[in-house]
Amino acid sequence: AQKITQTQPGMFVQEKEAVTLDCTYDTSDQSYGLFWYKQPSSGEMIFLIYQGSYDEQNATEGRYSLNFQKARKSANLVISASQLGDSAMYFCAMRGTLSGGYNKLIFGAGTRLAVHP
Amino acid sequence: EAQVTQNPRYLITVTGKKLTVTCSQNMNHEYMSWYRQDPGLGLRQIYYSMNVEVTDKGDVPEGYKVSRKEKRNFPLILESPSPNQTSLYFCASSFKGQGFYEQYFGPGTRLTVT
């Protein structure tokens, strides 16, 4: 069965410091995708970053990078130079398998990040 | 502007009173789905649709119905809501395929069933 595990229910970080949010996954598929989403208190889901299972380099998007360790089945999100606006819930998700297409997302339980001034 | 819209955004209702949450996308996406978000559980898929008139159950379909009569619309129907359906609901859409196709999420509908 495909599964995403986020073991940190809550994290806090000082402004301007880096923080790593953990994500491990379980799948028997050879081809899969890993996503991170941010959910601020307003509730919307904001796509942050994507890593394909065959991508050789770790994905980066501005201050976000994904530390992809395929053998360990981990896809940790690193936020550099944290800002107060980074305070939010963060979800790790994996593209699951559906017949005829591969767009089902399987989500972890989320990590709530608080950035302190 | 490319977007997924949901209505209503907030709804308080009583047990057993049928309701419909609408979802519409303007990106010509084949794939649409509904998720519910509950604390400690993340988002779980309720139903999905690969195209017009093609729908199937997700992980938590009990108590819900959907239809896909037009490509842009994918309403979620609760025929007889119960308190355990109190949740935050998201509609999402994307192109279909194996590659990286970003899922666009609607703004969410917060439903309370008393």
Side-chain angles (χ1 to χ4, degrees):
Chain A
Q2 295 169 314
K3 187 178 179 181
I4 291 284
T5 302
Q6 294 180 253
T7 57
Q8 306 154 314
M11 291 276 288
F12 70 88
V13 64
Q14 290 295 127
E15 196 177 7
K16 298 179 185 159
E17 292 186 350
V19 63
T20 298
L21 306 183
D22 293 341
C23 172
T24 58
Y25 61 92
D26 189 19
T27 182
S28 57
D29 289 346
Q30 296 301 308
S31 176
Y32 51 90
L34 296 155
F35 300 76
W36 278 93
Y37 285 86
K38 173 184 178 182
Q39 186 180 48
S41 58
S42 51
E44 72 267 30
M45 296 291 286
I46 301 170
F47 165 73
L48 294 178
I49 197 166
Y50 169 82
Q51 179 86 41
S53 57
Y54 292 118
D55 294 341
E56 293 187 354
Q57 300 215 344
N58 286 342
T60 60
E61 289 288 346
R63 295 186 297 110
Y64 304 108
S65 61
L66 200 152
N67 184 0
F68 181 47
Q69 298 188 43
K70 195 170 182 177
R72 299 178 65 180
K73 293 190 173 180
S74 74
N76 298 339
L77 177 70
V78 180
I79 305 174
S80 63
S82 297
Q83 302 172 356
L84 295 178
D86 293 334
S87 295
M89 181 73 88
Y90 289 82
F91 290 101
C92 180
M94 176 170 62
R95 187 184 68 227
T97 302
L98 286 172
S99 59
Y102 294 83
N103 286 318
K104 172 181 178 177
L105 287 178
I106 297 162
F107 285 84
T111 296
R112 185 169 297 281
L113 177 67
V115 180
H116 295 174
Chain B
E1 180 191 356
Q3 61 181 352
V4 178
T5 57
Q6 293 178 229
N7 282 292
R9 295 288 314 278
Y10 303 91
L11 179 60
I12 300 173
T13 190
V14 296
T15 300
K17 186 176 181 183
K18 180 180 178 180
L19 66 93
T20 299
V21 184
T22 64
C23 172
S24 183
Q25 50 93 5
N26 62 0
M27 296 165 279
N28 203 34
H29 287 161
E30 301 96 348
Y31 179 87
M32 297 185 73
S33 64
W34 277 100
Y35 295 87
R36 61 177 288 173
Q37 181 182 351
D38 301 292
L41 296 176
L43 281 74
R44 294 175 294 167
Q45 191 181 58
I46 303 170
Y47 268 94
Y48 66 93
S49 170
M50 288 295 189
N51 217 322
V52 175
E53 303 291 2
V54 181
T55 63
D56 207 347
K57 297 176 181 178
D59 297 319
V60 287
E62 293 77 22
Y64 305 94
K65 285 176 58 177
V66 294
S67 68
R68 188 94 180 269
K69 292 183 169 45
E70 304 167 281
K71 197 171 186 178
R72 63 185 296 130
N73 296 326
F74 190 44
L76 179 70
I77 303 156
L78 285 71
E79 294 267 2
S80 183
S82 62
N84 65 11
Q85 293 178 298
T86 293
S87 188
L88 178 60
Y89 290 87
F90 287 99
C91 180
S93 74
S94 76
F95 290 112
K96 191 177 69 172
Q98 281 201 46
F100 168 50
Y101 294 107
E102 180 183 343
Q103 287 216 18
Y104 290 79
F105 282 84
T109 295
R110 192 167 293 278
L111 172 65
T112 302
V113 184
T114 61

